[in-house]
Amino acid sequence: MELAGHDPADYFSATAVTRIPDASPARSMAAYHDLWFFLATRNPRITRAYTGDGTIDPTKGACALHVPPCGAAWVQTDVSIAVVGEFMVADELRALIHDWNVLGRPALTPFTCTFGPFCSTPAPLWVPRQWALEAVGAATRD
């Protein structure tokens, strides 16, 4: 069993990037981080990712949905989504972003989680098992 599916130190090849403008409501860096956190609580394939050739500007955010072997889609602070590979990855990311928007764009602070052991060794690594949103619509940042 792997702990993570993508090593953020590994770059993606971005031979053909498609951009979807106005795909995210997260315009400030604080809201972007709230969105990133929300996405990670909903999908274990959310990661930090970069392209080796700089086609995805990391200063606009590195939050990506990585779906091997289909591709990856990045949400960025310029409210766009950039897609490498199959377009269905962008559709999945857009659906997750839509969920965040419908819930009132919750900040990361009202979330709680339960932890469980990653393995059954005498000193296991404890990892988040289940995330819960304390109060829907509490604390949002644009």
Side-chain angles (χ1 to χ4, degrees), residues 37-129:
F37 183 83
F38 176 85
L39 296 175
T41 67
R42 299 291 197 228
N43 192 312
R45 297 172 299 169
I46 294 294
T47 188
R48 176 177 48 111
Y50 304 98
T51 57
D53 61 3
T55 32
I56 309 297
D57 184 354
T59 65
K60 294 180 182 174
C63 175
L65 173 62
H66 177 224
V67 182
C70 300
W74 286 258
V75 60
Q76 298 205 288
T77 57
D78 66 359
V79 305
S80 72
I81 287 179
V83 188
V84 173
E86 296 179 26
F87 207 74
M88 59 75 83
V89 180
D91 291 339
E92 187 175 342
L93 182 57
R94 289 178 86 173
L96 291 165
I97 293 168
H98 174 76
D99 292 347
W100 179 68
N101 201 36
V102 166
L103 286 173
R105 303 178 191 173
L108 62 93
T109 51
F111 280 89
T112 60
C113 79
T114 55
F115 287 88
F118 175 65
C119 55
S120 59
T121 62
L125 174 65
W126 287 73
V127 295
R129 291 286 185 218

